[in-house]
Amino acid sequence: MAPAGNALRFFLEANEWFCNAGLPSDITIVVDNVKFHLHKFPLSSRCGKIEKLIEETQSIDQGSRTITLENIPGGPNTFLVIAKFCYGVRVELTPRNVVIIYCAADYLEMFDNYGDDNLFVKAENYFHKNVLKNWKDCMVALQSCENVISQADNLQIVNKCLHAIAMMACTDPSLFGWPMMMYGRLQSPNGSILWNGINTGARIRSLESEWWFEDISYLSVPLFERLVKTMEARGLRPEKLTGVIMYYTRKHLHGLGRWQGGQNIKIKSIASFSMKPAIVDQRVLLETIVKLLPEKKGKSFCRFLLGLLRVALILGVNDTCQDSLERKIGMQLEYATLDGLLIPTYSDSDTLYNSDCVERIINHFLTSEEKVSVLSPRSIVSEVSPSSVPLRKVSKLVDNYMAEVASDVNLKAEKMKALAEILPDSARSLNDGLYRALDIYFKAHPWLSEREKEELCNTINYQKLSIEACAHASQNNHLPLRVILQVLFFEQLQLRTALANVADDENAPTGPMSIVPSGGTGAAGQIVQRDGWVTIVRENHVMRVNMERMRARVVELEEEFNRMREEMKRVSRTHSSLESSWFLSRTFGNCKLLLDSSNVQEDVVASMGPSTPRGSVDQPRTSHRGSVDHPRTSRHSKQR
């Protein structure tokens, strides 16, 4: 005990602690090379472990003894608090120190059989009655578990904190009078937050906002992972679960924000006043987040996944994590954008963009679409396939992607062909986008041989080219001659079919009675009949003009085709014994004359203009403007 009139106190001298109890020290406790010169009786009367160590080291010499405590939770600072408690000094428990004191009391066996109202019972009661019932205190206590995670797990402290936090996050706060009950008396009359009685000016967010996201983001990755799994087991809604994962990732994963549309609005919450920012390993965080992400679809979520994939390629995550990301993106590829799909190459490859990664993503999409088709009823698939809309969206996206990467001079023809053939022919109602991408590729790679060009052009279904695309291809000097002949042949078929349809519409029986409503008599009926006739006359006039233009185009194409056929005959007689008729039959023998006009208007190439956000290029690495030239005006049109 301290001398009369002096308060008991502990003081530090040269890394050694002493107590002014008025008696010489008879025991020395060593904790992490820090010595505590204390007395046996106060310690042994409260700490079972110290009593046992004193008995083990008892000898004939009754002098001072030295005991070393290894791996005590909290180290010297926590043992100082325990020593003060043993000497009768009042110890204040707080949400930040209660977990460490709780674990240290268990380590030193400070139970009730070594004195009533011992430290272990005090810490346990404070933890259950004060910490677990308050959001802020529970968050602070959970974060303090990171330093003594093994001991806290043995005492079920971590699990109790996780379940308490998950319950408060999953429960509707309006049922419990939140935030008054959750945070205590921390609100001023005008609704602002009070801290130690001082008005901070901050306001507690409304019930609709995700008020707990910021507090959760202060946890380390292992504790965050366990909390998310606990919330999922308690039935937290998937959209909230995804929201908190995205919030945590955007806060700690550096470099992700540059590929995301918006930035997080960080509002400092009440619990954050006493919480320290978590130290996060980037690769461990990303690999953990990918495992936690639920199966979800959406534009913002797809953009988030594409940003994660870029960072994953930079950090060099394991193959399992990368494959999982690519599979999740492939399942919702129809929500992706061209900018998100243009993933740069971070390896030693010569190409600008990682087309191999995109190819794997497309394969995952096709696999998921096949599963959807198999699970769908046959009656629905026969009428309107549920996967037709996503498949057509992806086909347009792939065509735009090919047009964007085609200007890369290091992109091999084999890779371009693989991208062109990866989607089935039924995915494209028109092949204008595919033709546009190949046109850009030919202009950026003028050294390609005729054979390589023909192999790439074989991926185009000429029956699915619009009239505008055929007109452009027929005058494209970058295409092989064989391809131009096929395009001319199908263009003539399309024009003749269109003329026949127009003629049938013109010969269809029409009359003034068809435009007069039933019961229309008198002056009103005459006005309606006159207006109807005027409309029909105007439509017929426009139709005749269009027919004349189409006839002129057909004559022009036939003359051009005859000139090319004569030229081919002269070349054939000069260089080989191949006859012109055999050559033409060989040229057009394998063409499929399937004229399917369904869904043609849906994917017209918009006058062969750019369809990507960045446009396309005509020359390697130059301005990305329209890659399709306007057809040259023919001699016949000039004469007219």
Side-chain angles (χ1 to χ4, degrees):
M1 298 298 294
N6 293 335
L8 184 66
R9 66 182 184 88
F10 290 78
F11 56 93
L12 179 66
E13 291 182 0
N15 203 31
E16 296 183 2
W17 284 94
F18 297 89
C19 177
N20 64 342
L23 297 174
S25 173
D26 57 358
I27 189 172
T28 301
I29 307 295
V30 181
V31 180
D32 295 343
N33 297 325
V34 178
K35 294 182 179 180
F36 292 84
H37 300 278
L38 304 173
H39 305 84
K40 291 187 295 183
F41 178 74
L43 296 178
S44 61
S45 63
R46 288 288 187 176
C47 302
K49 186 177 183 66
I50 293 179
E51 183 184 20
K52 294 177 182 178
L53 291 175
I54 291 175
E55 293 177 354
E56 292 175 0
T57 59
Q58 189 175 10
S59 62
I60 300 175
D61 184 10
Q62 297 297 326
S64 177
R65 297 180 178 86
T66 300
I67 296 177
T68 302
L69 296 178
E70 298 179 354
N71 301 323
I72 181 172
N77 295 331
T78 304
F79 184 76
L80 178 62
V81 176
I82 292 175
K84 290 180 179 180
F85 177 81
C86 293
Y87 278 83
V89 179
R90 182 176 179 273
V91 175
E92 182 181 1
L93 296 176
T94 64
R96 181 161 295 280
N97 67 9
V98 65
V99 174
I100 297 178
I101 293 177
Y102 194 174
C103 296
D106 177 71
Y107 173 81
L108 295 174
E109 301 178 10
M110 301 180 70
F111 307 128
D112 282 348
N113 53 341
Y114 290 94
D116 295 336
D117 201 16
N118 210 342
L119 186 58
F120 181 85
V121 177
K122 280 183 173 294
E124 186 179 33
N125 292 336
Y126 181 85
F127 176 75
H128 287 88
K129 293 180 180 180
N130 297 87
V131 174
L132 294 181
K133 296 181 180 180
N134 187 284
W135 172 271
K136 178 193 67 172
D137 295 341
C138 197
M139 286 298 306
V140 173
L142 180 60
Q143 192 184 41
S144 65
C145 292
E146 297 174 2
N147 300 323
V148 288
I149 190 67
S150 59
Q151 295 89 344
D153 274 329
N154 292 334
L155 294 174
Q156 298 296 317
I157 297 175
V158 177
N159 288 336
K160 291 177 182 178
C161 289
L162 293 176
H163 284 286
I165 293 172
M167 182 192 67
M168 288 184 278
C170 298
T171 307
D172 185 3
S174 61
L175 300 177
F176 299 96
W178 185 90
M180 293 298 294
M181 186 174 183
M182 193 169 296
Y183 286 112
R185 297 178 179 178
L186 292 173
Q187 272 190 295
S188 64
N190 61 356
S192 60
I193 300 173
L194 297 179
W195 180 65
N196 290 342
I198 303 173
N199 191 343
T200 62
R203 290 181 176 272
I204 298 177
R205 284 169 282 179
S206 61
L207 299 180
E208 291 77 13
S209 62
E210 310 302 344
W211 50 271
W212 49 276
F213 283 10
E214 178 66 14
D215 293 341
I216 299 298
S217 66
Y218 278 80
L219 297 177
S220 64
V221 175
L223 286 179
F224 177 79
E225 179 182 6
R226 294 176 63 176
L227 179 58
V228 169
K229 292 181 178 179
T230 305
M231 289 181 173
E232 185 178 9
R234 290 193 66 91
L236 183 66
R237 288 183 296 176
E239 56 270 19
K240 282 194 174 183
L241 198 66
T242 305
V244 70
I245 294 175
M246 294 173 64
Y247 189 96
Y248 186 90
T249 307
R250 287 168 177 166
K251 180 175 180 178
H252 294 288
L253 193 61
H254 306 306
L256 182 62
R258 70 182 65 178
W259 295 294
Q260 303 300 318
Q263 299 293 332
N264 285 336
I265 301 176
K266 297 183 180 180
I267 302 176
K268 197 172 185 63
S269 63
I270 298 175
S272 304
F273 285 148
S274 54
M275 296 181 67
K276 299 178 181 179
I279 300 175
V280 176
D281 183 272
Q282 299 290 290
R283 183 183 297 181
V284 174
L285 168 63
L286 201 150
E287 293 175 354
T288 303
I289 291 300
V290 172
K291 292 187 295 184
L292 293 177
L293 286 173
E295 299 295 337
K296 184 179 180 297
K297 289 186 177 183
K299 291 184 179 180
S300 60
F301 188 64
C302 184
R303 185 176 183 84
F304 172 75
L305 292 177
L306 288 169
L308 284 183
L309 181 58
R310 292 171 183 256
V311 180
L313 294 175
I314 296 175
L315 296 177
V317 298
N318 56 54
D319 295 338
T320 303
C321 177
Q322 182 176 341
D323 182 72
S324 178
L325 266 178
E326 293 173 354
R327 181 182 59 82
K328 291 178 183 294
I329 296 172
M331 292 177 62
Q332 51 191 318
L333 188 57
E334 66 269 20
Y335 297 107
T337 60
L338 179 59
D339 289 338
L341 212 59
L342 292 174
I343 304 172
T345 301
Y346 301 106
S347 60
D348 297 332
S349 177
D350 295 332
T351 56
L352 296 176
Y353 300 106
N354 195 337
S355 57
D356 293 334
C357 181
V358 174
E359 188 175 351
R360 291 192 296 269
I361 292 174
I362 298 173
N363 285 324
H364 285 303
F365 168 78
L366 295 176
T367 303
S368 63
E369 286 299 300
E370 290 178 359
K371 294 180 180 179
V372 172
S373 300
V374 170
L375 296 177
S376 301
R378 292 186 178 181
S379 59
I380 299 178
V381 174
S382 60
E383 296 177 2
V384 179
S385 176
S387 62
S388 60
V389 175
L391 189 60
R392 290 187 179 182
K393 289 182 178 179
V394 171
S395 67
K396 293 180 182 179
L397 181 63
V398 173
D399 291 345
N400 293 336
Y401 177 81
M402 292 176 59
E404 188 69 24
V405 303
S407 57
D408 185 4
V409 294
N410 294 320
L411 185 63
K412 302 299 182 182
E414 295 79 7
K415 180 56 62 178
M416 193 69 177
K417 183 180 179 182
L419 290 173
E421 294 177 341
I422 192 170
L423 292 177
D425 184 66
S426 59
R428 298 180 176 94
S429 59
L430 282 180
N431 279 196
D432 291 10
L434 181 59
Y435 164 72
R436 175 174 171 269
L438 294 181
D439 180 47
I440 298 173
Y441 185 78
F442 291 154
K443 292 179 181 179
H445 301 75
W447 55 83
L448 291 176
S449 63
E450 292 294 314
R451 179 182 177 183
E452 291 176 327
K453 290 184 178 180
E454 288 184 2
E455 290 180 353
L456 287 174
C457 290
N458 288 338
T459 60
I460 302 176
N461 188 347
Y462 301 105
Q463 305 172 48
K464 293 185 177 182
L465 288 178
S466 64
I467 296 178
E468 292 85 353
C470 290
H472 182 274
S474 62
Q475 302 183 26
N476 193 341
N477 296 329
H478 299 92
L479 298 180
L481 180 60
R482 183 189 300 271
V483 174
I484 295 177
L485 289 175
Q486 295 184 21
V487 171
L488 288 172
F489 178 76
F490 284 108
E491 185 181 11
Q492 289 189 35
L493 289 179
Q494 291 190 31
L495 289 174
R496 289 179 179 177
T497 303
L499 286 174
N501 293 335
V502 171
D504 293 341
D505 294 339
E506 189 178 31
N507 295 331
T510 58
M513 295 303 296
S514 60
I515 60 174
V516 179
S518 63
T521 58
Q526 295 177 1
I527 293 175
V528 172
Q529 182 177 0
R530 182 186 63 190
D531 294 340
W533 275 111
V534 171
T535 302
I536 292 176
V537 170
R538 289 177 179 175
E539 291 177 355
N540 290 338
H541 177 71
V542 174
M543 193 177 301
R544 282 195 297 270
V545 172
N546 292 335
M547 289 181 61
E548 291 297 330
R549 291 177 180 175
M550 296 177 69
R551 288 192 182 98
R553 179 60 180 165
V554 170
V555 173
E556 177 185 349
L557 289 174
E558 289 179 349
E559 292 178 356
E560 186 174 357
F561 183 76
N562 291 331
R563 288 196 302 270
M564 296 181 67
R565 184 168 56 183
E566 294 298 329
E567 182 66 23
M568 291 177 62
K569 287 181 180 179
R570 289 195 297 268
V571 173
S572 177
R573 286 195 298 268
T574 304
H575 298 283
S576 65
S577 60
L578 187 64
E579 295 182 359
S580 175
S581 59
W582 178 84
F583 180 73
L584 290 176
S585 63
R586 178 65 175 261
T587 303
F588 303 110
N590 296 329
C591 299
K592 298 180 181 179
L593 303 180
L594 176 60
L595 294 177
D596 185 5
S597 60
S598 62
N599 298 326
V600 170
Q601 297 299 329
E602 180 180 351
D603 294 326
V604 176
V605 293
S607 300
M608 304 306 295
S611 61
T612 67
R614 301 184 180 181
S616 302
V617 293
D618 293 340
Q619 300 297 333
R621 314 320 310 161
T622 58
S623 175
H624 290 210
R625 296 298 179 185
S627 64
V628 180
D629 304 329
H630 292 288
R632 294 188 297 271
T633 307
S634 63
R635 244 180 326 186
H636 299 278
S637 62
K638 288 182 180 180
Q639 292 175 2
R640 289 195 297 271

